[in-house]
Amino acid sequence: GIGHAVLLRAVEPMAGIELMKRNRKRPKQENHTRLLCSGPARLCRALGIGRRENGTDLCGDRIWIARDMRSTRSQKISRSTRVGISDGKHHKWRYFLKNSPYISPGRPV
């Protein structure tokens, strides 16, 4: 009875970029890597995630979130109010990598 979820609004594509472009069904010139997974709809299309994946455990073996172990960058995590909601908009529940060009548009406060 208690909801537990994380809404991923954007990711930085690091592997499988050509497959993501095909999943988005866009000509190559329209799929600048920065925009490929920027926003929930683009992200889901690029990764082939649909309604059948609702409720999938992200700690399982079907879909998971992994840290890029090759990355040596240390980036600051920032937070702001959420974008496009009316209830709870005073909460700073939007987390993102500061100065990342891959975050979806919005006005962080």
Side-chain angles (χ1 to χ4, degrees):
I2 299 173
H4 299 276
V6 173
L7 172 63
L8 298 177
R9 294 192 57 88
V11 299
E12 177 181 351
M14 301 186 91
I17 293 172
E18 291 307 315
L19 176 58
M20 289 181 206
K21 288 179 180 180
R22 285 193 304 274
N23 287 344
R24 290 273 321 276
K25 297 179 181 164
R26 298 278 188 207
K28 288 182 182 184
Q29 67 272 20
E30 290 183 25
N31 268 338
H32 188 282
T33 305
R34 187 180 63 78
L35 299 175
L36 190 57
C37 298
S38 176
R42 289 177 179 162
L43 173 62
C44 286
R45 284 186 197 115
L47 297 180
I49 296 172
R51 292 189 189 275
R52 69 184 178 279
E53 282 74 37
N54 280 350
T56 301
D57 184 350
L58 295 180
C59 295
D61 59 1
R62 260 185 78 211
I63 299 175
W64 63 93
I65 300 171
R67 182 173 157 218
D68 179 17
M69 300 307 286
R70 299 169 296 176
S71 177
T72 58
R73 296 182 292 175
S74 176
Q75 296 184 351
K76 181 171 173 48
I77 296 175
S78 296
R79 65 186 207 152
S80 71
T81 55
R82 291 179 57 205
V83 176
I85 63 166
S86 55
D87 290 336
K89 57 184 168 184
H90 61 284
H91 295 293
K92 291 194 171 190
W93 289 342
R94 182 179 192 240
Y95 296 88
F96 54 93
L97 294 176
K98 188 173 185 167
N99 301 320
S100 172
Y102 296 94
I103 65 169
S104 54
R107 292 186 306 258
V109 178

